[in-house]
Amino acid sequence: MFEEMFKDEESASTDHGVRLVCADESVFSALAHYYSRVEECESRCGMPVRLFYPEVEQEHEVSASTDEVSWRNTMLISDVQAKGLTTAVLKDQDVICVYRTDSKRNFAACAERLTALQENGGDGCARPAVLCFADADTARAYICGSGLWAPRQSQVVGATWDDVLPLLASTKGNLRWISGEILPWEEMPVRNSAARDVQLIFRGSTDLSMFEVMEKSEAIAGCFADGVNVLWQIEVHDKNEILVFVAQPMS
């Protein structure tokens, strides 16, 4: 059954690509295997830029052109880098992923500045969405492992772009930050009563049992307080592990 679901997903397609600005080029190579091709662009604000093209329908012989793709403008930056960027550059992003290197107070001030850029668009979603991470490792793991960026072909069950953003992204007056950890399949996360929302990513081969995944998801959800929203998804990977991303209020 699990293998059949993978086959079904492989026939799906998405017209969204990612334009990613990021100083850490290792992130580009980690994301590359999800996409049909990667293209280098002119740098922005002194940081490298890559275009990640979505998969195309099998009958299409030529990859989609830049004009045919709906791009999600995304930045992965530190709080210190964010201070040096102009409002115009920041407002041009669909998603800003910012991670803490400074004090908690300064990081909160940085996040408040970013969420102040948000406006309610016609689709009811604030732009830019602001994802605040406890540290650089969590930010990298989230971008490289999350279904927020990966095309649908890489996922079997789980969160979509529209599911994740309201859950984990900060909006004006509702600041939260994301911490994360990677667990071996057998382990459970530490009980966390402060969590507001959680995203679980089960990674493994097609040999994984859907029943086992669902049981594990329910058990992990029990580590959090009643009323906490938990999204989960499954992704093909070379080893069995669980990525746990927890969003909690920023003090």
Side-chain angles (χ1 to χ4, degrees):
M1 176 180 177
F2 197 59
E3 290 182 350
E4 290 302 314
M5 293 184 70
F6 272 108
K7 291 177 183 177
D8 292 341
E9 287 293 323
E10 286 171 358
S11 64
S13 63
T14 176
D15 58 353
H16 285 99
V18 175
R19 180 184 284 107
L20 179 61
V21 180
C22 175
D24 184 352
E25 298 205 27
S26 68
V27 173
F28 298 143
S29 57
L31 275 179
H33 74 277
Y34 288 121
Y35 293 88
S36 60
R37 83 174 194 267
V38 182
E39 188 175 293
E40 185 173 347
C41 297
E42 184 179 348
S43 64
R44 187 163 197 191
C45 304
M47 291 181 283
V49 181
R50 298 289 186 276
L51 292 180
F52 293 86
Y53 283 79
E55 297 290 340
V56 295
E57 297 289 348
Q58 292 183 355
E59 62 267 22
H60 293 175
E61 294 183 3
V62 181
S63 297
S65 69
T66 305
D67 294 337
E68 295 171 336
V69 177
S70 177
W71 297 103
R72 287 172 178 154
N73 295 320
T74 305
M75 266 191 169
L76 172 59
I77 52 177
S78 71
D79 46 9
V80 173
Q81 287 173 312
K83 292 176 184 178
L85 297 177
T86 66
T87 298
V89 168
L90 294 170
K91 288 195 75 168
D92 192 38
Q93 304 307 307
D94 295 298
V95 183
I96 299 174
C97 299
V98 58
Y99 56 88
R100 179 190 163 199
T101 61
D102 208 338
S103 69
K104 286 187 177 181
R105 175 191 288 183
N106 289 342
F107 185 60
C110 172
E112 287 173 353
R113 180 204 171 200
L114 295 177
T115 56
L117 302 171
Q118 294 174 331
E119 298 174 357
N120 292 326
D123 57 1
C125 185
R127 177 174 176 171
V130 180
L131 294 167
C132 303
F133 296 93
D135 51 52
D137 288 342
T138 300
R140 282 192 293 264
Y142 192 79
I143 285 191
C144 297
S146 170
L148 182 59
W149 281 267
R152 286 195 294 263
Q153 292 92 322
S154 69
Q155 297 173 228
V156 178
V157 175
T160 67
W161 171 268
D162 294 330
D163 293 328
V164 171
L165 283 186
L167 204 67
L168 300 184
S170 292
T171 57
K172 193 171 184 178
N174 186 20
L175 289 172
R176 67 207 107 149
W177 66 343
I178 303 166
S179 58
E181 59 181 316
I182 298 176
L183 300 175
W185 181 256
E186 300 79 11
E187 290 186 13
M188 297 282 284
V190 176
R191 187 166 296 277
N192 187 333
S193 59
R196 177 174 295 169
D197 300 299
V198 181
Q199 185 177 358
L200 305 174
I201 305 174
F202 296 90
R203 308 171 82 180
S205 70
T206 54
D207 296 332
L208 283 180
S209 160
M210 277 295 295
F211 179 75
E212 195 175 3
V213 170
M214 293 175 70
E215 273 198 328
K216 179 66 73 172
S217 179
E218 290 179 2
I220 292 177
C223 293
F224 305 100
D226 292 340
V228 171
N229 295 308
V230 180
L231 288 176
W232 62 276
Q233 68 190 65
I234 303 173
E235 185 180 77
V236 180
H237 201 255
D238 56 2
K239 59 183 177 181
N240 291 352
E241 63 183 18
I242 305 169
L243 303 186
V244 183
F245 295 102
V246 179
Q248 56 192 44
M250 189 184 300
S251 56

